[in-house]
Amino acid sequence: MDDDDNIIVTDDDNIDDESAELEDTDVDTDGDDDETLDDEPTLTFKIENGRIRDKVDEKQAMVQAVNKILQTERLVYPIYSDQYGNDLNDIIGKDMGYAKVEAERMIKEALLADDRVVEVDIDAVNEVSRDTLEIKGTCVTVYGNINIDSEVSVDDTR
């Protein structure tokens, strides 16, 4: 395998000097400074059994992103922004009624922080044991719907 096989080329790498100058002079006529989804790559690595196996894009990449957001505690890992991840650890040790309501809100908030997520519909938050909640729903993304099936422990004896 050549070293060139490991190079990832993005759209920015293929811009010639003339088009780069034109991009710098573009005027934002609608007052919206946000990038469009076309400008945001979704290409990521396909992980199987903890190993990188291939690359995936669009919906498969979003499935991975949703799962990662639901598994990552917010404000713990310095490589992520303060908007990435969830706050589900905050409901550990809380009353089950409170935990049900907050778990739904926290999952919606965590997923909606990703610009590719359009809507989050939580269908059910069920108590499966005295200290575990099961959350089922759908994450609507620009690439399609992704099922949410997650468990949250509220046990404070860990």
Side-chain angles (χ1 to χ4, degrees), residues 58-114:
E58 297 182 354
K59 187 172 181 183
Q60 287 180 316
M62 278 307 302
V63 168
Q64 207 175 88
V66 167
N67 287 332
K68 183 71 175 141
I69 290 168
L70 294 178
Q71 294 174 9
T72 303
E73 186 178 353
R74 195 168 73 90
L75 301 174
V76 172
Y77 305 98
I79 64 167
Y80 299 121
S81 79
D82 61 352
Q83 297 302 307
Y84 186 86
N86 67 70
D87 294 318
L88 292 169
N89 281 351
D90 290 350
I91 61 174
I92 291 174
K94 304 292 188 208
D95 172 70
M96 192 57 81
Y98 173 80
K100 283 181 178 182
V101 173
E102 281 299 287
E104 180 175 349
R105 182 192 64 77
M106 289 174 175
I107 286 177
K108 285 182 176 182
E109 183 178 278
L111 293 173
L112 288 169
D114 189 313

Side-chain angles (χ1 to χ4, degrees), residues 21-34:
E21 289 175 17
L22 289 174
E23 279 188 358
D24 290 340
T25 61
D26 284 347
V27 176
D28 186 30
T29 57
D30 64 0
D32 184 11
D33 292 331
D34 295 338

Side-chain angles (χ1 to χ4, degrees), residues 42-48 54-68 116 141-146:
T42 59
L43 185 65
T44 190
F45 295 105
K46 180 179 181 182
I47 308 293
E48 289 179 357
D54 201 358
K55 296 176 196 164
V56 294
D57 200 6
E58 297 182 354
K59 187 172 181 183
Q60 287 180 316
M62 278 307 302
V63 168
Q64 207 175 88
V66 167
N67 287 332
K68 183 71 175 141
R116 301 167 294 180
T141 74
V142 296
Y143 301 110
N145 295 350
I146 298 169

Side-chain angles (χ1 to χ4, degrees), residues 84-156:
Y84 186 86
N86 67 70
D87 294 318
L88 292 169
N89 281 351
D90 290 350
I91 61 174
I92 291 174
K94 304 292 188 208
D95 172 70
M96 192 57 81
Y98 173 80
K100 283 181 178 182
V101 173
E102 281 299 287
E104 180 175 349
R105 182 192 64 77
M106 289 174 175
I107 286 177
K108 285 182 176 182
E109 183 178 278
L111 293 173
L112 288 169
D114 189 313
D115 293 336
R116 301 167 294 180
V117 174
V118 177
E119 182 179 353
V120 178
D121 296 318
I122 303 298
D123 299 324
V125 179
N126 299 315
E127 189 175 342
V128 293
S129 70
R130 70 175 186 80
D131 62 357
T132 304
L133 294 174
E134 178 185 56
I135 299 149
K136 292 185 179 275
T138 305
C139 181
V140 180
T141 74
V142 296
Y143 301 110
N145 295 350
I146 298 169
N147 290 329
I148 299 170
D149 190 1
S150 186
E151 283 193 357
V152 177
S153 175
V154 295
D155 184 16
D156 61 354

